[in-house]
Amino acid sequence: DWISFSLCLALPLQRIYYLSLEFYMGRTLQNTMVNLGLQNACDEAIYQLGLDLEELEEIEEDAGLGNGGLGRLAACFLDSMATLGLAAYGYGIRYEFGIFNQKIVDGWQVEEADDWLRYGNPWEKARPEYMLPVHFYGRVEHTPEGVKWIDTQVVLAMPYDTPVPGYKNNTVNTMRLWSAKAPNDFNLQEFNMGDYIEAVLDRNLAENISRVLYPNDNFFEGKELRLKQEYFVVAATLQDIIRRFKSSKFGCRDPVRTCFETFPDKVAIQLNDTHPALSIPELMRILVDVEKVDWDKAWEITKRTCAYTNHTVLPEALERWPVSMFEKLLPRHLEIIYALNQMHLDRVAALYPGDIDRLRRMSVIEEGDCKRINMAHLCVIGSHAVNGVARIHSDIVKNSVFKDFYELEPEKFQNKTNGITPRRWLLLCNPGLADIIAEKIGESFITDLSQLKKLLEFIDNETFIRDVAKVKQENKLKFATYLEEQYKVKINPMSMFDVQVKRIHEYKRQLLNCLHAITLYNRIRCNPSKSFVPRTIMIGGKAAPGYHMAKMIIKLITSIGEVINNDPYVGDKLKVIFLENYRVSLAEKVIPAADLSQQISTAGTEASGTGNMKFMVNGALTIGTMDGANVEMAEEAGEENLFIFGMRVEDVEALDRKGLVYNAREYYESLPELRQAIDQISSGFFSPRDPGCFKDVVNMLMYHDRFKVFADYEAYIKCQGQVDQLFMDPREWTRKVIRNIACSGKFSSDRTITEYAREIWGVEPSATAIPPPNLPRN
């Protein structure tokens, strides 16, 4: 099979294990054809059968096992690790139901279960021979022979393997997802009253562990089932890793390895956020309790093996589990965490004698009404490397979120700016653009995106300018046709396609976009005979089902669209469309068609963003704040080639300081167009059947807005005016587009993974293709 084939040939010095609770893979068919170089052959074969390959591709369900950026990043990383010839495995959960399907009913989001496995999944292979037990509950016994975790409840973890092909290099890695199965005797022994039926039905309790993905993005929900999921993936994966380590013969004369001295040289575990943080106490438990490794030695092995990626600085997103929940569910792990924390605090106390406040700030255990375990702190003390995902984010991590830890161990902290795979996000989704690039600079950019720099030579080449504009127009026409079929709304394909697609969240500030749409509408109404740059504003994204404000934002967008799209005075000068059920396969359609990409989060809140990179490489210009990877995009392409506006991080911090509190009313009073827009929302202009519908939104904006929408309104509206000016000069617009594409090379996930490999995992990527199976192997 592909697993043994790839790894036998690679003879890896080290295997990389990427642990993530989310893998947002999307569809697989077209991606596999692209990476195997079979797309044209398949297209021709399907055509000969009288069928249409695109129709076939549309039948495949998205594998939506992720919420947004974090899960999609994991998918891009798997593609890059295989393309770079690394012996890497993705480990996660095979959720029976992925991210919900979003329906818009009367302007409101309604969730539907995503039964993506309804017709089976042809890409996965069940591996029952590698099924493993995972333990929960029970109690801890300290005996002369060592510590024992006993009287536990067992759930079985069944692995399903999905192949991850590299790009034209005959490497195929594996994504292994675990599914929960009840053992045959599950709960039967509990039912001695003869209620056999009830006992069998109770098997669901065990199997619920892998039933559904928690639909929160950047928000921590402290449910026991979620903690079970986190331990389930970690416990099964670590058993698998250790089995593979023990049986591996490379560089080892013993038939089975018993010495763990070389474990960190052979194994690298990357924790994608804190969700797999239990890897740290679980590895300690296995080493100390099962393998009888000395505690200090085990701690050294654990730290050298694990590395942690931080994905957010928002306090509500940080995982802080109640100690009482651990006590019940994972009693041995709680003991280990307490012991690790004591060791850690003893060290801090020795270095900073008498600094009690520092001990409190740095403890893994947070005291209070409800004692909690701070999982981010656990990750930092238990890893040899901690990284943020864009330079500005990594600086915030060092100077703010983990400041004390950075002062203690500055060498631990790194930056790894995110990237996207150019295979899916250029070659697959925008073949027209990929073709004209290849005509000019050859095809090597597909595995070395920095080659796009060569396009700078063609920035004034009239033929190339015309070709780039033509591809964009074709993409727009195709997407306009799709929208007309889906939404029964006539789109002006000559209008500016102004796109903001991402999860709906206050910090991403879809509300700022709404205020701009209303301002444009009011200007058109005020002066209908004046010439306006026509725009189609598209906003898409899912709101977490329990996130009231995010759901209200969706209702506001759809309500604004309802009014604007049906106003005869506006015609095709302005349309506002909510893109329903935004997902990977829809992103592949909308991103190549976009003219303007909106990346407008409050400075200091978006860790990186990766949508911003997808738009850049696909020839959209960015309007955005100096936040996340926007900062590095502006650095690469030149700030004058993006539309940068609004407060910087230091401005936001200044507003937060005491005495300079953000006062929304001041902006409301001093900016007439802003006041008019807010009054319209407030009075029911956009919700005539329910005039008080948006009172919560207005109340939040006026009195509780953590993300300071009004503070950036004026600069944003002004910047949008500059966008209009440039759009009226198609040649100059396209020159800026070419410069952006040419300068997007840094944002390949190949570059990101190369940095992880060299600077965290200690391995060297390889560009050497493995010989195909039909050739003799040396």
Side-chain angles (χ1 to χ4, degrees):
D1 59 15
W2 69 82
I3 307 158
S4 48
F5 173 63
S6 277
L7 291 176
C8 286
L9 291 172
L11 297 184
L13 292 168
Q14 183 165 39
R15 290 183 173 129
I16 290 108
Y17 296 99
Y18 195 83
L19 269 65
S20 180
L21 268 282
E22 300 183 21
F23 286 96
Y24 203 170
M25 303 300 286
R27 292 170 174 165
T28 298
L29 175 61
Q30 196 181 355
N31 188 242
T32 304
M33 293 189 300
V34 164
N35 278 13
L36 298 182
L38 292 172
Q39 206 173 6
N40 290 341
C42 291
D43 210 349
E44 180 59 30
I46 293 286
Y47 176 75
Q48 294 292 342
L49 292 170
L51 300 168
D52 180 355
L53 188 57
E54 229 176 286
E55 268 181 46
L56 179 64
E57 287 160 0
E58 284 298 315
I59 292 168
E60 185 179 359
E61 295 273 356
D62 279 48
L65 309 186
N67 280 291
L70 176 139
R72 185 51 234 171
L73 183 80
C76 283
F77 279 4
L78 292 186
D79 181 87
S80 285
M81 290 188 284
T83 296
L84 290 166
L86 297 171
Y89 301 76
Y91 273 97
I93 294 179
R94 180 182 176 267
Y95 299 107
E96 199 175 314
F97 296 91
I99 186 64
F100 61 85
N101 286 317
Q102 179 194 57
K103 291 271 183 287
I104 300 297
V105 179
D106 192 25
W108 296 95
Q109 169 177 296
V110 174
E111 299 87 24
E112 279 185 0
D114 166 43
D115 193 3
W116 73 289
L117 293 170
R118 188 168 54 249
Y119 302 117
N121 172 12
W123 301 108
E124 70 183 8
K125 168 94 176 75
R127 306 299 295 263
E129 67 274 28
Y130 290 118
M131 190 145 63
L132 294 166
V134 175
H135 298 261
F136 294 101
Y137 305 109
R139 59 192 175 84
V140 180
E141 218 173 56
H142 291 261
T143 71
E145 292 79 52
V147 182
K148 291 192 169 72
W149 182 18
I150 56 171
D151 299 338
T152 56
Q153 198 180 90
V154 175
V155 176
L156 299 176
M158 161 89 93
Y160 286 78
D161 287 355
T162 299
V164 180
Y167 181 72
K168 292 187 179 178
N169 64 352
N170 299 315
T171 293
V172 186
N173 285 346
T174 302
M175 175 176 67
R176 176 163 285 185
L177 302 180
W178 302 102
S179 184
K181 274 183 74 67
N184 282 335
D185 63 351
F186 184 83
N187 265 10
L188 286 171
Q189 62 271 56
E190 307 286 317
F191 284 79
N192 51 11
M193 301 305 288
D195 200 343
Y196 160 75
I197 295 293
E198 198 59 37
V200 172
L201 294 182
D202 258 13
R203 293 169 63 85
N204 275 329
L205 297 175
E207 294 175 0
N208 277 341
I209 290 173
S210 58
R211 193 81 66 207
V212 61
L213 168 75
Y214 273 84
N216 302 313
D217 187 69
N218 277 306
F219 184 79
F220 167 60
E221 187 173 3
K223 295 281 202 301
E224 185 178 302
L225 179 60
R226 172 65 174 187
L227 186 57
K228 276 186 173 173
Q229 289 181 341
E230 294 187 354
Y231 180 62
F232 174 74
V233 68
V234 156
T237 299
L238 277 170
Q239 288 180 76
D240 220 28
I241 290 172
I242 285 166
R243 170 190 60 77
R244 208 173 274 129
F245 169 77
K246 282 184 167 183
S247 63
S248 172
K249 308 291 193 301
F250 306 130
C252 176
R253 293 182 183 179
D254 306 327
V256 174
R257 277 206 186 98
T258 49
C259 171
F260 280 83
E261 198 73 39
T262 59
F263 191 76
D265 304 319
K266 303 290 179 192
V267 173
I269 294 174
Q270 191 67 39
L271 308 176
N272 192 28
D273 214 332
T274 56
H275 311 145
L278 286 165
S279 301
I280 292 163
E282 173 66 1
L283 184 51
M284 283 295 287
R285 185 189 69 81
I286 294 168
L287 292 174
V288 173
D289 296 358
V290 181
E291 302 294 343
K292 307 301 179 193
V293 176
D294 168 75
W295 176 275
D296 291 338
K297 187 77 217 160
W299 184 229
E300 187 202 325
I301 290 168
T302 299
K303 282 200 293 188
R304 284 179 54 210
T305 301
C306 296
Y308 159 55
T309 302
N310 174 275
H311 281 274
T312 181
V313 299
L314 296 176
E316 65 267 33
L318 296 176
E319 292 196 293
R320 294 155 64 250
W321 289 102
V323 163
S324 55
M325 199 182 283
F326 260 77
E327 214 159 20
K328 182 174 86 162
L329 194 70
L330 301 167
R332 177 57 182 145
H333 297 77
L334 182 61
E335 285 186 353
I336 290 168
I337 290 167
Y338 268 124
L340 294 176
N341 190 44
Q342 192 57 57
M343 242 165 53
H344 159 64
L345 292 181
D346 289 347
R347 183 182 169 210
V348 176
L351 289 166
Y352 303 93
D355 194 343
I356 303 301
D357 198 48
R358 185 181 290 264
L359 290 176
R360 181 191 56 74
R361 293 197 308 267
M362 294 185 75
S363 177
V364 173
I365 310 295
E366 295 180 355
E367 303 295 338
D369 296 343
C370 168
K371 259 189 168 177
R372 291 177 177 273
I373 300 171
N374 184 317
M375 301 306 269
H377 288 186
L378 178 63
C379 286
V380 174
I381 69 167
S383 299
H384 69 277
V386 175
N387 72 281
V389 289
R391 195 176 61 229
I392 186 175
H393 168 59
S394 296
D395 288 343
I396 292 168
V397 161
K398 289 191 291 198
N399 302 328
S400 165
V401 189
F402 299 135
K403 185 173 189 283
D404 295 313
F405 294 90
Y406 176 63
E407 286 172 5
L408 188 69
E409 298 177 294
E411 69 287 347
K412 219 182 230 195
F413 289 79
Q414 302 189 16
N415 172 242
K416 297 285 168 278
T417 299
N418 283 163
I420 56 167
T421 167
R423 271 72 63 185
R424 184 178 293 266
W425 296 112
L426 179 52
L427 212 56
L428 180 155
C429 73
N430 204 342
L433 182 58
D435 284 348
I436 62 169
I437 291 172
E439 274 172 34
K440 289 289 182 227
I441 65 169
E443 289 188 2
S444 60
F445 71 92
I446 298 165
T447 50
D448 177 12
L449 206 62
S450 67
Q451 299 274 327
L452 290 178
K453 271 270 188 278
K454 293 176 182 171
L455 292 176
L456 290 172
E457 294 171 35
F458 303 101
I459 218 152
D460 293 309
N461 179 306
E462 296 305 327
T463 311
F464 191 60
I465 291 172
R466 195 175 61 245
D467 287 348
V468 169
K470 182 165 173 274
V471 165
K472 179 62 73 179
Q473 200 50 43
E474 284 166 357
N475 292 340
K476 288 173 72 172
L477 280 164
K478 190 175 179 185
F479 191 61
T481 306
Y482 171 83
L483 286 181
E484 283 171 34
E485 285 168 9
Q486 296 293 312
Y487 298 97
K488 311 292 178 260
V489 60
K490 192 95 178 93
I491 303 292
N492 174 5
M494 302 311 292
S495 65
M496 183 198 305
F497 281 17
D498 169 348
V499 182
Q500 185 181 21
V501 281
K502 49 186 75 242
R503 283 298 288 254
I504 308 294
H505 201 300
E506 286 160 87
Y507 88 84
K508 293 177 186 282
R509 298 202 297 189
Q510 283 90 356
L511 285 171
L512 191 54
N513 198 348
C514 288
L515 292 175
H516 175 243
I518 296 170
T519 302
L520 280 184
Y521 172 65
N522 288 334
R523 286 178 181 179
I524 293 167
R525 286 283 312 208
C526 190
N527 201 341
S529 58
K530 191 180 166 201
S531 78
F532 284 89
V533 173
R535 272 191 198 235
T536 304
I537 297 174
M538 305 176 205
I539 305 176
K542 292 174 181 175
Y547 190 173
H548 169 69
M549 190 52 65
K551 290 186 134 178
M552 288 307 307
I553 290 168
I554 290 175
K555 175 62 174 170
L556 179 61
I557 297 162
T558 56
S559 301
I560 291 168
E562 189 71 23
V563 170
I564 292 176
N565 300 346
N566 293 302
D567 190 324
Y569 284 98
V570 176
D572 64 0
K573 289 178 188 156
L574 183 62
K575 288 271 186 282
V576 175
I577 292 173
F578 186 82
L579 298 173
E580 190 177 66
N581 202 31
Y582 180 65
R583 59 203 185 280
V584 176
S585 55
L586 183 52
E588 290 164 8
K589 294 179 175 70
V590 64
I591 290 170
D595 291 306
L596 187 68
S597 154
Q598 299 239 19
Q599 309 296 335
I600 56 179
S601 52
T602 312
T605 60
E606 188 73 89
S608 166
T610 47
N612 46 4
M613 304 167 186
K614 292 164 195 167
F615 282 104
M616 186 186 194
V617 78
N618 279 283
L621 298 186
T622 302
I623 183 167
T625 49
M626 275 298 199
D627 196 22
N630 295 357
V631 176
E632 288 158 83
M633 285 163 50
E635 195 175 276
E636 293 294 304
E639 206 174 309
E640 68 283 2
N641 294 300
L642 284 76
F643 299 98
I644 299 293
F645 72 93
M647 296 180 290
R648 309 296 214 250
V649 170
E650 50 277 16
D651 302 318
V652 176
E653 284 169 356
L655 264 191
D656 281 335
R657 275 190 221 114
K658 286 189 170 54
L660 265 175
V661 180
Y662 166 69
N663 184 347
R665 182 159 285 280
E666 283 178 13
Y667 296 97
Y668 170 81
E669 301 287 3
S670 63
L671 300 167
E673 287 188 309
L674 172 62
R675 184 165 65 245
Q676 183 184 5
I678 293 298
D679 289 349
Q680 286 170 310
I681 296 169
S682 186
S683 68
F685 181 86
F686 295 106
S687 51
R689 282 173 297 176
D690 180 6
C693 182
F694 300 117
K695 65 178 189 307
D696 288 354
V697 177
V698 174
N699 185 50
M700 183 277 289
L701 284 171
M702 293 297 289
Y703 305 108
H704 312 287
D705 181 10
R706 289 166 56 201
F707 303 107
K708 305 173 177 60
V709 169
F710 291 2
D712 274 341
Y713 169 83
E714 193 176 14
Y716 178 58
I717 299 295
K718 190 177 167 198
C719 195
Q720 286 281 20
Q722 293 162 8
V723 174
D724 280 344
Q725 284 299 116
L726 189 67
F727 196 73
M728 288 191 288
D729 183 347
R731 183 178 181 279
E732 197 48 42
W733 179 279
T734 307
R735 284 180 76 253
K736 275 202 192 322
V737 162
I738 294 167
R739 181 173 291 280
N740 270 268
I741 296 169
C743 296
S744 64
K746 175 179 179 176
F747 305 106
S748 166
S749 49
D750 299 345
R751 186 267 316 148
T752 312
I753 288 298
T754 299
E755 290 180 12
Y756 274 96
R758 288 177 179 157
E759 296 161 30
I760 295 179
W761 306 327
V763 292
E764 191 58 36
S766 163
T768 313
I770 291 171
N774 56 325
L775 290 184
R777 302 178 208 163
N778 297 329

